[in-house]
Amino acid sequence: MEYNHYLIDIEGTLVKDKTFTPVEGAVEWFNEFSADDTRAMLVTNNTTHTPNELLGILREKRFNINDKQISTCISAGAEYLKKQKCRQCYIIGSDAIKRYMQSKGIQVTDSPDVDAVVIGLDTNLDYEKLRIATSALVQNNARLLAMHTNKLFVDGRGRISISAGPIVKALEYASEKRAYVSGKPSPTYYRKFLKKWSCEASEVLMVSDDPLADLKGAKRIGMTTCFVTSGVYRDKSILKQLASKHQPDYAYPSVVSIA
Ligand SMILES: [Mg+2]
């Protein structure tokens, strides 16, 4: 198959998990694109590292990638907060999100007195954090910004773990608010690339290990999709959960099978 443009997920697709060990053959496969951001972009919902940190890690693993070739939900989230004129936020998430927001002039506090509550993956989540976030949403009418709504991830020890999505759902339920989702699979996020490349959705192949979120969202706006079983889901049985219109166009063991 031949596509003009590729959107490629990172974790579970190019690398195995949070250790960032490359999937066998993925480095060579990706490097065929010779770091051309009009052909291939890496799109990730990673919230444990800033975009620059991710670039550094991937280059260390020998991926030949330029700094315009990566797009993350953190940078998209900061753009949203700026647009909504949010000045202060409470963050459930990593230090990377906090550092990035501060670098963009958004104040990060530990109190519920904020304009926005930001949710990313937080492996140290506890009840107190949920209480502060709920209080900000209910009592201070703060906006709810979800970096993404992923259900699961594979941790650095290869264990299936709960991601940020179920936490977002809990806060939506408690506050009766709907979150704005900055990363995949938000249609606004995906459409940015169609604009960037001035192309039709069908000319883009979206590759990911997550058919329920990443690929379903891409399919909804008309992109061609490719499911790889090198990440969260190790076989194709998960596809039974998808309606026929959301089924991926291709399903392969890994990106290496994409000719
Ligand atoms: Mg993934």
Side-chain angles (χ1 to χ4, degrees):
M1 48 184 170
E2 190 65 50
Y3 292 91
N4 293 330
H5 311 282
Y6 293 75
L7 289 178
I8 307 159
D9 172 53
I10 298 178
E11 283 170 53
T13 302
L14 282 186
V15 302
K16 290 180 180 168
D17 50 39
K18 293 269 175 214
T19 63
F20 290 93
T21 307
V23 166
E24 284 80 13
V27 172
E28 295 73 16
W29 178 79
F30 178 76
N31 290 351
E32 292 274 303
F33 293 111
S34 58
D36 179 352
D37 74 318
T38 62
R39 281 211 71 202
M41 281 286 296
L42 300 188
V43 284
T44 180
N45 281 347
N46 178 291
T47 59
T48 51
H49 299 80
T50 65
N52 268 338
E53 288 166 356
L54 277 177
L55 266 179
I57 295 170
L58 292 169
R59 283 175 180 156
E60 218 166 80
K61 305 289 182 188
R62 312 177 77 97
F63 286 100
N64 177 19
I65 171 176
N66 79 45
D67 48 10
K68 289 197 179 67
Q69 250 183 327
I70 193 163
S71 167
T72 96
C73 57
I74 301 185
S75 46
E79 280 168 31
Y80 170 78
L81 291 181
K82 286 281 196 189
K83 211 169 163 187
Q84 298 301 325
K85 303 197 183 335
C86 294
R87 291 193 178 85
Q88 285 184 315
C89 65
Y90 178 73
I91 298 178
I92 288 181
S94 66
D95 287 343
I97 306 179
K98 293 174 188 168
R99 281 200 303 277
Y100 190 83
M101 293 305 173
Q102 278 164 335
S103 78
K104 296 293 167 189
I106 299 154
Q107 205 186 322
V108 177
T109 79
D110 278 331
S111 93
D113 194 14
V114 290
D115 313 308
V117 170
V118 179
I119 312 296
L121 177 61
D122 187 341
T123 52
N124 295 311
L125 180 64
D126 60 22
Y127 191 83
E128 180 62 5
K129 291 182 184 177
L130 291 171
R131 189 193 63 73
I132 295 171
T134 306
S135 168
L137 294 169
V138 174
Q139 291 180 314
N140 291 327
N141 201 25
R143 287 174 191 277
L144 180 57
L145 167 62
M147 299 275 104
H148 58 79
T149 52
N150 292 12
K151 293 177 169 70
L152 305 169
F153 74 102
V154 182
D155 75 3
R157 291 160 67 185
R159 302 175 302 186
I160 283 286
S161 310
I162 185 167
S163 188
I167 310 306
V168 173
K169 295 294 166 197
L171 290 171
E172 285 184 330
Y173 188 68
S175 67
E176 298 274 356
K177 286 191 170 173
R178 280 288 294 275
Y180 176 87
V181 182
S182 66
K184 299 175 291 180
S186 137
T188 320
Y189 180 76
Y190 280 136
R191 287 207 179 95
K192 278 197 304 198
F193 300 100
L194 304 183
K195 209 171 160 193
K196 170 185 160 77
W197 291 328
S198 318
C199 71
E200 297 296 320
S202 59
E203 291 175 65
V204 179
L205 183 70
M206 170 72 206
V207 188
S208 170
D209 67 320
D210 185 348
L212 304 185
D214 289 4
L215 298 181
K216 184 175 163 183
K219 194 82 199 165
R220 270 194 178 135
I221 66 159
M223 288 180 177
T224 310
T225 59
C226 177
F227 170 45
V228 286
T229 49
S230 51
V232 171
Y233 305 105
R234 310 305 295 195
D235 63 62
K236 290 195 262 184
S237 59
I238 188 69
L239 297 179
K240 289 183 197 140
Q241 293 187 28
L242 283 173
S244 59
K245 63 180 178 186
H246 297 137
Q247 290 291 323
D249 297 280
Y250 306 97
Y252 292 131
S254 85
V255 290
V256 177
S257 306
I258 302 172

